[in-house]
Amino acid sequence: MSKDNEIAVDIQNVTKMFGGFTALKGVSLDIRDNEFFTLLGPSGCGKTTLLRLIAGFEEISNGAILLYGQNIADLLPNKRPVNTVFQQYALFPHMNVTDNVMFGLLRLGQEKSKAINRVNEVLELVRLSDFADRMPSQLSGGQQQRVALARALAPSPKVLLLDEPLSALDLKLRQAVRLELQQIQVQTGITFIFVTHDQEEALTMSNRIAVLEGGRVQQVGSAREIYEAPENKFVADFIGETNLIDVNVSNLEAGKGSCILPGGEKITCSAARGARSGPGHLSVRPERIKISASSKSLLKGTAVRHIYLGTDLHIEVKLNTGGNVTVRMQNSTQIQIPDVGQSVGLDFDPSSARLLVD
């Protein structure tokens, strides 16, 4: 197997139980070497539990986790070639930045002169060389986050685990640190496994994403694959925004299916695995729908609400056949915005729609 395709973390049918509660239900994942891999899902889906199993903070109930081919079930956390950056940075308040980063290296038995050289390397990597003598209380939240990252990178782990490390930062700072994390992952070549509930973080940072819900993996793929071709209603609705339109499905073949829209129009579009004939759901992203004055539009309804979001404008349309659809329009002085109460037609390219399973 080439280095590019080497499996860093092989999660094999892993189940984790806490008493009578099953947090993970037969999870299997291959995480590649030198990959920025994200575990994404809502609170309680099992993503942090899986991260803790890899780190060794919890024991597996069933299944196995292999790190570069080695079963790590019997290895204590401090014997695993992984490190973790937690949501709470847990810096030592009585130590300056240098000592915080060097602490783990000295505990591992590294000579102080070599440890200092390594600390200087990682502080330069996270752009904190000028802050080496500062105390944690003298740092901003973003700088403290980078100290915690430097401390985790210092021992050169094979895998770095990041448990929602950006959640305590404000929006602007989170956006800046995302770019820094991406750059650091590329520079170091370390496999990053990142846990978040924030879809935008996952979409913008990851080579691949695993969407979890209810202790199961719902879908694995690149950001584009997950967004453009969701496998079920949960993924479509959780990743970004979507309109789920009730349709009647027939002629499923080779990943495509025919469906009759609520107004009677018939289109052919891509179908997720497991889609069935009969009543179904069509996922159409709000930005793929256009408002039209044509009497032959695929859907017809009445504009009932405007939502101003700065860069975008959302128009909520109540369909004549029942149910609501949201249209996203880029904010521009050139667009014509339908008045509330105005009858409108809605059109979209069938290739942008997706037939889903429940």
Side-chain angles (χ1 to χ4, degrees), residues 1-239:
M1 181 179 291
S2 69
K3 180 72 172 175
D4 289 343
N5 293 318
E6 185 178 3
I7 302 303
V9 182
D10 186 5
I11 300 165
Q12 301 178 350
N13 198 32
V14 165
T15 295
K16 175 60 181 176
M17 300 185 70
F18 295 98
F21 173 69
T22 305
L24 293 172
K25 304 170 183 176
V27 170
S28 294
L29 287 170
D30 288 341
I31 300 172
R32 301 166 190 157
D33 182 63
N34 192 18
E35 182 173 36
F36 198 123
F37 191 93
T38 296
L39 302 173
L40 172 68
S43 297
C45 71
K47 57 189 186 295
T48 294
T49 297
L50 182 55
L51 202 76
R52 290 177 62 83
L53 292 176
I54 298 170
F57 302 141
E58 302 285 353
E59 293 186 1
I60 299 169
S61 301
N62 194 28
I65 297 177
L66 278 63
L67 186 67
Y68 291 94
Q70 178 188 7
N71 192 324
I72 57 175
D74 296 329
L75 290 181
L76 295 173
N78 64 332
K79 299 298 183 182
R80 301 184 184 199
V82 305
N83 245 344
T84 307
V85 179
F86 298 99
Q87 187 173 347
Q88 303 298 328
Y89 310 135
L91 302 179
F92 297 114
H94 62 288
M95 294 183 181
N96 64 19
V97 168
T98 294
D99 290 339
N100 262 283
V101 177
M102 188 162 48
F103 179 81
L105 296 175
L106 298 179
R107 287 288 299 271
L108 291 171
Q110 192 167 120
E111 294 179 10
K112 189 166 184 177
S113 59
K114 291 183 179 180
I116 290 173
N117 289 336
R118 179 57 181 162
V119 169
N120 291 336
E121 288 175 7
V122 292
L123 288 182
E124 184 176 351
L125 183 66
V126 300
R127 297 190 294 113
L128 284 178
S129 297
D130 293 340
F131 298 81
D133 295 328
R134 293 205 186 174
M135 306 300 286
S137 61
Q138 298 174 304
L139 303 176
S140 68
Q143 290 164 344
Q144 290 183 39
Q145 191 272 345
R146 281 187 276 158
V147 174
L149 180 61
R151 183 176 59 187
L153 289 169
S156 300
K158 290 185 177 181
V159 176
L160 187 66
L161 310 175
L162 301 106
D163 187 10
E164 303 204 45
L166 310 185
S167 61
L169 306 180
D170 62 50
L171 176 61
K172 289 282 189 182
L173 194 51
R174 281 205 311 271
Q175 292 171 338
V177 175
R178 285 178 203 162
L179 296 175
E180 292 178 358
L181 280 177
Q182 282 181 297
Q183 293 167 354
I184 290 169
Q185 192 276 321
V186 171
Q187 285 178 267
T188 61
I190 294 171
T191 300
F192 277 27
I193 304 177
F194 186 87
V195 161
T196 185
H197 63 271
D198 187 310
Q199 303 111 45
E200 187 174 323
E201 281 182 5
L203 292 172
T204 56
M205 298 171 68
S206 315
N207 297 121
R208 287 190 303 147
I209 301 165
V211 183
L212 281 78
E213 167 59 2
R216 300 184 190 278
V217 175
Q218 301 294 321
Q219 187 171 351
V220 180
S222 67
R224 182 173 291 275
E225 288 167 345
I226 296 276
Y227 187 82
E228 302 288 353
E231 286 296 324
N232 56 45
K233 283 174 61 180
F234 174 80
V235 175
D237 200 32
F238 188 75
I239 303 294

Side-chain angles (χ1 to χ4, degrees), residues 237-293:
D237 200 32
F238 188 75
I239 303 294
E241 299 177 52
T242 198
N243 295 292
L244 294 172
I245 302 169
D246 292 335
V247 294
N248 196 33
V249 183
S250 63
N251 301 325
L252 286 166
E253 186 176 354
K256 291 187 177 294
S258 297
C259 61
I260 299 174
L261 296 170
E265 297 289 340
K266 187 175 182 179
I267 63 172
T268 299
C269 54
S270 67
R273 287 177 295 179
R276 298 178 296 274
S277 295
H281 305 282
L282 191 69
S283 170
V284 189
R285 299 291 185 183
E287 69 273 12
R288 303 296 170 82
I289 302 177
K290 306 299 180 187
I291 292 178
S292 167

